[in-house]
Amino acid sequence: MTATTTTPAALTLCRRIGTSGSVLLALGGWTAGSLPAYDASGLWRERGAEAADVGTVLTYLGLVLLVCAWWRLGRIAGSLGAGELVRVLVWWSAPLVIGPPLFSSDVYSYVAQGLMSVRGLDVYQLGPAALGGPLVHSIPAMWQHTPAPYGPAFVGMAQAVVRLTGSAVVPAVLGMRAVCLASLAVIVWAVRALARATGVSEGGALWAAALNPLVICHLVAGAHNDALMLALMMTGLVLARRGRLLWAVVAVSLATIVKAPAGTALLFLVPLSPRWRGRIWPGVWRVLAGASVATAVTATVSVVTGRGLGWIAALRTPVSVESVWSASTDVGRLLAWAASVSHTAGTESAWSRPDTITAVRVVCLLAALVAIVLWARRAPAVGPEYALGLSLLTLVVLSPAVQPWYALWGLLPLAATAWHRLSGAWQKTLVVVLVFSVLPDGHGPALDDLVTASLGIALALAALYGSTALRWLSGGGAGGAFAEQKGLP
């Protein structure tokens, strides 16, 4: 069978299976998602333990279908046009637009910080608990008394959303999701522009970036502010590619005062500029000019929003919580445990648990900074976006504050310019592991959650096994033969 007949058939099947998965995700979210503690409208309310169990089954049933569709689509993405992949993204995202948040309750913190700003409370000195009222109870207890860890650009955005939608939780959350959807549209534009500039397949780049299940689950369904940060950062990369270096610095600076890690991209803008051409002194002057512009943008936004520079001190907020995803924190725990065992055995130990964890975190952060500098030096040789992507992934791995969707910080620059490096089996498996690592309500797993999740996964696999779709998803049949003939991943 020819490519013109097999590729559209495979694309259609992947789109339908993925859309079915998103529909099931959305349905499950209405009872098993991250529901608010109180919703005056009654739309997003808890419906009992039995309904939550059914929702969890539906959620994982849908998640398996979505992931399988994405995995199979990767085999033909390089031969598809960007318009076809954008339509698939719309189909996969649409069912999740109006439902409750999934896989995280962070968006309630965003709304609370916006409401605090509206009421004149300092989000960098006070936690959401200062608000009082039912909204606070939608936020995990560990974050209720902690200041906002985000820059003034994002807090100002949250304030604008709350002013526009009011303090009712459902409209405010949907307003924050609208910001994420607009950011996703910008990401799609930026990924396509970078793919064209570097001569890679736009379809493949969109598959690895925008259609990534981490994007669907956490930027769309979860409404994380990482979407806004990434949209601004990727815009900066495009502007730098086009020789508009100072505007690129402005965009990345704005991304940095949404979430600070985006500032890493500032080191890679000069090598992106076509005017640089490896010359030392023009490069030095551009770095100095860029640093001045970044400082001016940061100071201006901080002053105009009326928040000053208090947000810089608040950046330590995420570090105050010991994340299980943080390798540096886990190593620190292990060393602290070993020290406590040796102390119990009679050997003197000068290290306390907090001291040990802090020391390991500092060492890992220094190692990450060294790696970033080394990648910045290699940027002209390997490609600035590629070097930036690996730098950000290194930062995520060694950071004291880690969440599964943070992987997108590095994956998006890599996908835009070297998507084929993300299409191997182990790279896709890593994405799948990250997707399945978070429960629909964003909380830690309990036994009943694991049972219902396993049931949903089993049902999805049984449905795929019992249908002709399995032949396509595994690369068999005409679609798989075509992929192998063309050397697609």
Side-chain angles (χ1 to χ4, degrees):
M1 193 174 293
T2 64
T4 56
T5 56
T6 57
T7 302
L11 173 64
T12 299
L13 186 58
C14 289
R15 186 188 70 238
R16 290 176 178 174
I17 292 176
T19 303
S20 299
S22 291
V23 169
L24 291 169
L25 270 174
L27 290 174
W30 285 87
T31 58
S34 181
L35 299 168
Y38 173 75
D39 169 28
S41 68
L43 291 175
W44 296 352
R45 60 181 179 84
E46 294 186 4
R47 292 171 171 81
E50 294 81 3
D53 289 341
V54 172
T56 302
V57 172
L58 291 176
T59 298
Y60 277 90
L61 176 58
L63 199 55
V64 170
L65 294 179
L66 179 64
V67 165
C68 286
W70 172 76
W71 188 295
R72 177 62 183 90
L73 187 60
R75 293 179 176 271
I76 59 173
S79 63
L80 297 173
E84 294 173 304
L85 272 299
V86 170
R87 284 190 287 273
V88 173
L89 176 62
V90 171
W91 277 100
W92 288 6
S93 301
L96 301 165
V97 168
I98 62 171
L102 277 166
F103 306 109
S104 173
S105 57
D106 283 2
V107 69
Y108 299 117
S109 294
Y110 306 160
V111 173
Q113 289 152 11
L115 184 57
M116 289 174 68
S117 296
V118 169
R119 294 182 178 177
L121 299 174
D122 189 348
V123 300
Y124 299 123
Q125 293 292 329
L126 303 170
L131 278 174
L135 176 59
V136 175
H137 300 294
S138 302
I139 301 169
M142 63 181 177
W143 300 119
Q144 290 181 10
H145 300 277
T146 54
Y150 313 117
F154 176 73
V155 174
M157 176 70 73
Q159 180 180 356
V161 168
V162 172
R163 286 191 186 277
L164 182 64
T165 62
S167 59
V169 64
V170 173
V173 168
L174 293 180
M176 296 306 304
R177 183 174 281 145
V179 172
C180 292
L181 292 173
S183 300
L184 181 56
V186 174
I187 289 171
V188 168
W189 164 79
V191 167
R192 294 183 63 181
L194 290 173
R196 286 194 300 270
T198 54
V200 305
S201 164
E202 290 184 46
L206 287 175
W207 167 81
L211 284 161
N212 191 308
L214 286 170
V215 169
I216 304 296
C217 292
H218 294 291
L219 301 192
V220 177
H224 281 288
N225 60 1
D226 301 75
L228 180 59
M229 180 197 82
L230 289 167
L232 290 166
M233 186 185 78
M234 297 293 285
T235 297
L237 299 183
V238 174
L239 291 173
R241 273 278 175 191
R242 295 178 177 180
R244 301 175 181 176
L245 186 58
L246 293 184
W247 285 111
V249 172
V250 170
V252 174
S253 298
L254 289 173
T256 304
I257 48 181
V258 172
K259 295 189 79 169
T264 306
L266 291 169
L267 297 174
F268 298 84
L269 294 181
V270 170
L272 276 168
S273 176
R275 299 178 184 178
W276 179 56
R277 301 182 185 278
R279 294 175 295 174
I280 300 298
W281 285 113
V284 170
W285 285 115
R286 287 179 179 275
V287 168
L288 293 176
S292 301
V293 171
T295 302
V297 170
T298 302
T300 300
V301 173
S302 299
V303 172
V304 169
T305 57
R307 293 176 179 85
L309 299 177
W311 64 277
I312 296 177
L315 293 176
R316 66 179 183 271
T317 296
V319 182
S320 63
V321 175
E322 296 183 5
S323 169
V324 69
W325 285 97
S326 169
S328 60
T329 301
D330 292 336
V331 171
R333 287 196 193 103
L334 181 61
L335 292 178
W337 172 82
S340 67
V341 170
S342 64
H343 181 68
T344 303
T347 304
E348 290 296 325
S349 174
W351 290 92
S352 67
R353 185 175 187 277
D355 289 338
T356 305
I357 293 176
T358 299
V360 174
R361 283 175 163 181
V362 169
V363 170
C364 287
L365 276 178
L366 291 175
L369 292 176
V370 171
I372 290 170
V373 171
L374 292 177
W375 278 117
R377 291 186 61 185
R378 295 195 61 197
V382 301
E385 297 94 346
Y386 184 77
L388 171 61
L390 291 178
S391 295
L392 286 169
L393 286 178
T394 303
L395 179 62
V396 170
V397 170
L398 297 178
S399 173
V402 182
Q403 296 293 346
W405 57 90
Y406 288 4
L408 291 171
W409 301 352
L411 289 179
L412 261 61
L414 289 174
T417 56
W419 74 273
H420 58 284
R421 294 180 181 268
L422 303 176
S423 61
W426 76 266
Q427 294 94 329
K428 291 191 287 188
T429 300
L430 178 60
V431 170
V432 173
V433 170
L434 292 174
V435 168
F436 278 93
S437 64
V438 185
L439 290 171
D441 61 2
H443 297 150
L447 180 59
D448 56 341
D449 295 319
L450 296 177
V451 171
T452 51
S454 300
L455 178 59
I457 293 171
L459 288 174
L461 294 177
L464 290 171
Y465 184 80
S467 69
T468 57
L470 181 65
R471 182 166 51 108
W472 293 83
L473 293 169
S474 61
F482 168 67
E484 293 175 0
Q485 291 170 5
K486 296 299 181 183
L488 297 176

